[in-house]
């Protein structure tokens, strides 16, 4: 278990990959949290070992936590370390966030409700218009396998035994991803003597590792999906996956090319002329422009 | 005093006066509320010539000029671009003589007294942004849900209600402002600038009034905008009106293997006005 620095805080992972600067996104998130949150304006970031962090970034982060070992060394989409967040968070109560998020408003009041549970995943993300995303185009694997529709994009957890247990199972799933996938596939090889036999209950195990899938599978495996995986309207965040926005025209994966948006100097954030007030998962990796960063840095509440 | 406000402005192809007359007959029968009519002189004169009971039917006649500068494209037997005199509804607040007013489109078929319950809604502006088809299923076409594909919810001015309050007054002032800047807002909200639609104007005004947030899920006592409690079903251009009697309405819907007859005791917005007009004499005989 990591060093506990304070009672409550936000945590994210930022491991740069290719030309995607996740650290810059985490920095923007940190400023956004500092600008909007009164009681808990703290964001810690988990980074790769020996990652270089600019001084101005360090000033924004409550803690910078280097991974002592990196499960994602050979991965382009660095999800593999997501099980570790439970063990290395510096907070008694943590809200884990994907780093490609911004906070338009203060969610101080959420903490007391969240602390009613050991762990609390979002299960009902929203469109930018505020509607609940149901039957997400990206969640077929969850539906066909009866997995809880959880999103680790916004995930609350405490430091206790049940949460550690969940994290251990997630670790095992992530460490054995290829085996889990291939074991099933193996059993589908014609004439191997076991064709048609199920080795586990997962139909079409995803090729690409997914943190959400791993956590959902952990809950199901432990038989606690009914405790921690029910679909509820709280907590929620805006999830800007294009196919889930209830748009007729989806000619680009990048929603910023389809939906008009603006962030004013007072940080009021309009997307499709809808004022955003929930935590905002912008998804598109080039959203944090220098102009936006300048506004965030120079916002004076 | 509560009441109903109807509008009638004939154009070169549709006898809105007659549509409104029939609507008023049905409202009077079922709702037993005073009805005020906003009408231009020409339409009123024509109505008085053809309907001897017109004068007695309405509590008040409000003569206005037919609002100009708007056209709408029609299809079918009246295909073409024709004048569309819908904009006098923006003045409903000033024109209405009632404390609480229900405004209905003249192509609403009223077959029960459910609209009467809506006068109990504790809201300044009552208007819907979700509609249902004749089979009671929600209409989920984006074109009927949103002002533009990526844009704000579409509020339907087919039926709306307001009280004589400062909040309502401000709403109509805001709507008037949006109308004056209609072309400007078309670039922001992504809609066509012609024809000018009161639905779109009210949608933008409602959205701005609610702080640019869709509050459909969680109305509270402080909201200016509320949805209706009673249902109004939508019959589209290709749904064929078969019959209206004093407590139900019957439509043919669908094509081929999907076609069916739907008979309902709910009030219906009949988009096919020519079809509705063809039942005019019958409606008059049932309700006259």
């Amino acid at each position: 278990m990591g060093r506990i620095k304070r009672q409550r805080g936000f945590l994210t992972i930022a491991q740069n990959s290719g030309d995607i600067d996740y650290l810059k996104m985490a920095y923007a998130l940190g400023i956004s949290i500092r600008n909007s949150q009164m009681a808990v304006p703290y964001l810690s970031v988990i980074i790769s070992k020996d990652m270089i962090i600019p001084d101005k970034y360090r000033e924004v982060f409550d803690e910078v936590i280097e991974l002592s070992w990196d499960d994602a060394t050979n991965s382009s989409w660095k999800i593999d370390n997501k099980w570790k967040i439970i063990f290395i968070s510096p907070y008694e109560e943590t809200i884990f966030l994907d780093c490609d998020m911004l906070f338009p408003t203060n969610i101080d009041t959420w903490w007391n409700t969240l602390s009613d549970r050991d762990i609390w995943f979002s299960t009902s993300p929203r469109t930018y218009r505020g509607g609940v995303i149901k039957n997400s185009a990206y969640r077929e694997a969850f539906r066909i396998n009866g997995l809880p529709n959880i999103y680790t994009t916004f995930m609350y957890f405490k430091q206790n035994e049940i949460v550690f247990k969940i994290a251990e199972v997630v670790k095992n799933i992530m460490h054995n991803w290829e085996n889990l996938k291939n074991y099933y596939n193996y059993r589908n090889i014609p004439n191997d003597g076991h064709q048609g036999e199920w080795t586990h209950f997962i139909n079409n195990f995803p090729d690409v590792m997914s943190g959400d899938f791993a956590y959902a599978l952990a809950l199901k495996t432990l038989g606690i999906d009914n405790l921690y995986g029910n679909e509820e309207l709280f907590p929620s965040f805006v999830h800007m996956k294009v196919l889930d926005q209830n748009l007729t025209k989806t000619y680009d994966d990048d929603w910023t090319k389809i939906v008009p948006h603006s962030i004013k100097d007072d940080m009021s954030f309009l997307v499709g002329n809808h004022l955003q007030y929930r935590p905002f998962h912008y998804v598109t990796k080039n959203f944090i422009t220098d102009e936006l960063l300048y506004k965030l840095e120079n916002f004076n509440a | 005093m509560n009441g109903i406000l109807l509008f009638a402005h004939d154009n070169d192809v549709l006898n809105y006066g007659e549509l409104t007359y029939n609507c008023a007959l049905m409202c009077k029968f079922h709702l037993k509320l005073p009805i005020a009519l906003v009408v231009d002189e020409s339409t009123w004169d024509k109505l008085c010539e053809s309907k001897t009971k017109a004068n007695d039917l309405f509590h008040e006649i409000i003569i206005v000029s037919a609002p100009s500068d708007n056209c709408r494209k029609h299809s079918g037997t009246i295909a073409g671009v024709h004048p569309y005199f819908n904009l006098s509804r923006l003045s409903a607040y000033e024109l209405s003589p009632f404390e609480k007013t229900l405004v209905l489109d003249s192509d609403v078929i009223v077959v029960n007294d459910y609209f009467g319950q809506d006068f109990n809604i504790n809201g300044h502006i009552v208007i819907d942004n979700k509609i249902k088809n004749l089979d009671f299923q929600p209409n989920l076409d984006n074109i009927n849900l949103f002002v533009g594909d990526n844009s704000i919810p579409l509020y339907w001015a087919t039926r709306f209600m307001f009280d004589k309050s400062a909040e309502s007054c401000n709403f109509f002032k805001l709507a008037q402002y949006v109308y004056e800047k209609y072309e400007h807002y078309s670039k922001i909200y992504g809609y066509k600038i012609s024809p000018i639609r009161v639905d779109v104007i009210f949608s933008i005004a409602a959205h701005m009034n609610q702080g640019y947030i869709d509050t459909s899920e969680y109305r509270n006592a402080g909201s200016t905008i509320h949805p209706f409690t009673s249902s109004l079903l939508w019959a589209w251009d290709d749904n064929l009106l078969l019959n209206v009697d004093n407590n139900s309405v019957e439509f043919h819907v669908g094509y081929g293997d999907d076609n069916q007859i739907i008979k309902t005791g709910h009030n219906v917005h009949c988009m096919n006005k020519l079809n509705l007009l063809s039942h005019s004499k019958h409606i008059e005989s049932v309700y006259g």
Side-chain angles (χ1 to χ4, degrees), chain A residues 13-73:
Chain A
I13 298 180
Q15 291 187 270
N16 288 350
S17 173
D19 58 356
I20 300 177
D21 191 347
Y22 287 102
L23 189 60
K24 185 179 178 183
M25 290 183 233
Y27 170 62
L29 174 59
I31 303 174
S32 166
I33 286 174
R34 193 181 59 179
N35 287 347
S36 59
Q37 309 305 301
M38 299 287 284
V40 188
Y42 311 112
L43 174 69
S44 290
V45 64
I46 300 169
I47 60 166
S48 306
K49 203 168 172 355
D50 299 330
M51 196 168 175
I52 296 170
I53 302 188
D55 288 341
K56 75 168 183 176
Y57 285 21
R58 276 194 187 272
E59 286 166 14
V60 163
F61 298 127
D62 190 27
E63 283 284 314
V64 176
I65 305 162
E66 278 192 11
L67 288 165
S68 359
W69 79 97
D70 190 349
D71 291 352
T73 310

Side-chain angles (χ1 to χ4, degrees), chain B residues 99-243:
Chain B
E99 275 303 306
K100 200 157 192 178
T101 308
L102 170 65
V103 177
L104 292 176
D105 268 7
S106 49
D107 52 1
V108 171
I109 304 172
V110 181
V111 293
N112 57 49
D113 62 354
Y114 298 168
F115 287 167
Q117 301 163 13
D118 295 318
F119 283 92
N120 297 324
I121 296 171
N122 190 17
H124 298 296
I125 302 287
V126 185
I127 187 167
D128 281 331
N129 67 356
K130 290 180 176 53
I131 58 176
K132 292 179 187 171
N133 297 328
L134 281 171
D135 58 2
F136 238 88
Q137 295 304 305
N139 188 295
L140 298 175
D141 294 334
N142 270 19
I143 200 168
N144 295 322
L145 285 176
F146 304 116
V147 164
D149 185 49
N150 59 27
S151 188
I152 60 176
L154 179 64
Y155 283 82
W156 289 85
T158 307
R159 161 176 82 142
F160 62 94
M161 185 179 278
F162 59 90
D163 59 13
K164 290 280 189 169
S165 64
E167 288 84 350
S168 295
C169 183
N170 285 339
F171 177 83
F172 278 90
K173 282 184 182 171
L174 184 55
Q176 181 64 30
Y177 179 80
V178 172
Y179 163 59
E180 288 163 11
K181 308 285 183 199
Y182 197 75
E183 189 174 339
H184 163 73
Y185 282 114
S186 73
K187 297 179 175 59
I188 297 173
Y189 290 100
Y191 55 85
K192 292 180 188 170
I193 59 172
S194 178
I196 299 174
R197 290 180 62 184
V198 176
D199 304 316
V200 169
I201 292 170
F202 278 4
S203 301
I204 296 169
H207 191 68
M208 292 162 78
N209 181 278
Q210 293 169 114
Y212 298 86
I213 294 172
D214 179 4
T215 59
S216 303
E217 283 181 42
Y218 45 89
R219 306 284 171 182
N220 57 48
S223 288
T224 298
I225 317 284
H226 285 256
F228 279 96
T229 49
S230 68
S231 293
L232 174 64
L233 306 182
W234 248 248
W236 301 97
D237 278 340
D238 55 351
N239 300 150
L240 189 64
L241 175 64
L242 297 178
N243 189 38

